[in-house]
Each structure stands twice: as C-alpha cells, then as structure tokens.
C-alpha cells in the first residue's frame, strides 16, 4: 500500500489564515522566506494573491484526510527553456517527522509527470540544517552555496 498525502488547491476562504500564520511565524518563516510578508491578514491577502499569480507555479496545501492543514508545497521559478524549477516544502512542526519526505516525493512526482523537467532545485538557507540533511537524504545533491544565503 502506497501512502499518499492529500494536496489541495489553495483556497483563501479555507487556507488563508493558516498560511498567513505559517508565513508570519518568526520561528518557522525564516526557514523558507527571507522577509516577512505582512503584519496583518488583510495586507497579506492581496500580496499573497499576487504571489500566487506571478511567483508560484504550483501551490498546494498538504492536508490530512479530515482536511486539517499540515503544510504547503510549491514550485516556483519554472524555466521552460532550461527545463528546471525550484520547489519548497513546509510542514508545521506537528507533521515534520517523516511527512516532509513524502510531501517532497509526491510533489516531485507531480512535477515530473506534468512538465518536461530535467532538474529540480531547492534553495535552503545554511542555518536550516535539518532541512538540508533531509533533502540530501532524499537524493538531492548540493551543487553550490550562494554567499548571501
């Protein structure tokens, strides 16, 4: 039996507040964003809608079978000519044990089945050692370090 996570399309009515919390939680936000997005939900909604339209290529909320949000996965910076993109996986602390790798594999499967990709990248900040270790264990390889990160 293959365990699959539920990927749901982002719906601001159902997911807006929890994504706002994830992206503005000072302890977790630094794991995947260099800058805080907004201080209030109303400002966040408009800016996040623009990000969904212009920055993220695919954006999904990872949910339990009962619909509880576990985290988010997304692709961005898709380069059709070069056939590569970047992905990010964020799971709330409660769900990190083992589910992150499963979410990454499922997102990679989705991406490679739908797009003619030859390479997928992950940007990981150097202080996020847990994420770097997990990503390397999943088969990614370190190809460089960007000094400003």
């Amino acid at each position: 039996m293959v365990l699959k996570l539920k990927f749901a399309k982002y719906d601001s009515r159902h997911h807006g507040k929890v994504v706002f919390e994830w992206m503005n939680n000072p302890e977790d936000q630094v794991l995947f964003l260099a800058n805080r997005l907004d201080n209030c939900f109303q400002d966040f909604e408009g800016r996040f809608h623009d990000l969904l339209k212009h920055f993220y290529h695919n954006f999904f909320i990872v949910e339990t079978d009962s619909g509880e949000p576990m985290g988010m996965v997304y692709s961005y910076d898709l380069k059709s000519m070069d056939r590569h993109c970047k992905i990010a996986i964020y799971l709330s602390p409660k769900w990190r044990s083992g589910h992150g790798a499963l979410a990454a594999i499922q997102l990679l499967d989705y991406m490679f089945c739908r797009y003619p990709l030859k390479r997928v990248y992950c940007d990981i900040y150097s202080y996020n050692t847990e994420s770097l270790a997990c990503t390397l264990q999943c088969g990614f390889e370190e190809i460089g370090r960007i000094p400003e990160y």
Side-chain angles (χ1 to χ4, degrees), residues 42-61:
Q42 291 74 19
D43 292 342
F44 170 81
E45 278 185 302
R47 190 178 316 235
F48 190 67
H49 177 75
D50 288 344
L51 287 171
L52 288 169
K53 188 174 180 182
H54 301 290
F55 179 72
Y56 299 118
H57 187 254
N58 293 286
F59 189 96
F60 299 105
I61 300 297

Side-chain angles (χ1 to χ4, degrees), residues 10-97:
Y10 175 81
D11 180 340
S12 62
R13 294 168 297 167
H14 301 294
H15 306 119
K17 296 270 188 194
V18 72
V19 172
F20 171 73
E21 290 171 14
W22 290 333
M23 290 191 168
N24 284 282
N25 176 330
E27 293 174 14
D28 286 346
Q29 174 267 337
V30 297
L31 300 176
F32 59 92
L33 286 176
N35 300 305
R36 193 169 187 181
L37 288 182
D38 293 288
N39 289 323
C40 71
F41 181 67
Q42 291 74 19
D43 292 342
F44 170 81
E45 278 185 302
R47 190 178 316 235
F48 190 67
H49 177 75
D50 288 344
L51 287 171
L52 288 169
K53 188 174 180 182
H54 301 290
F55 179 72
Y56 299 118
H57 187 254
N58 293 286
F59 189 96
F60 299 105
I61 300 297
V62 182
E63 296 180 336
T64 64
D65 288 337
S66 63
E68 179 186 351
M70 300 169 67
M72 57 192 167
V73 296
Y74 54 89
S75 64
Y76 62 103
D77 207 16
L78 177 71
K79 305 291 186 200
S80 299
M81 293 290 281
D82 298 325
R83 297 176 39 204
H84 64 79
C85 71
K86 295 178 182 177
I87 63 167
I89 286 70
Y90 168 82
L91 293 180
S92 63
K94 172 181 173 180
W95 299 104
R96 289 192 184 144
S97 182

Side-chain angles (χ1 to χ4, degrees), residues 130-144:
E130 183 180 341
S131 186
L132 179 59
C134 290
T135 305
L136 293 172
Q137 287 176 345
C138 285
F140 281 81
E141 59 186 55
E142 187 175 324
I143 60 169

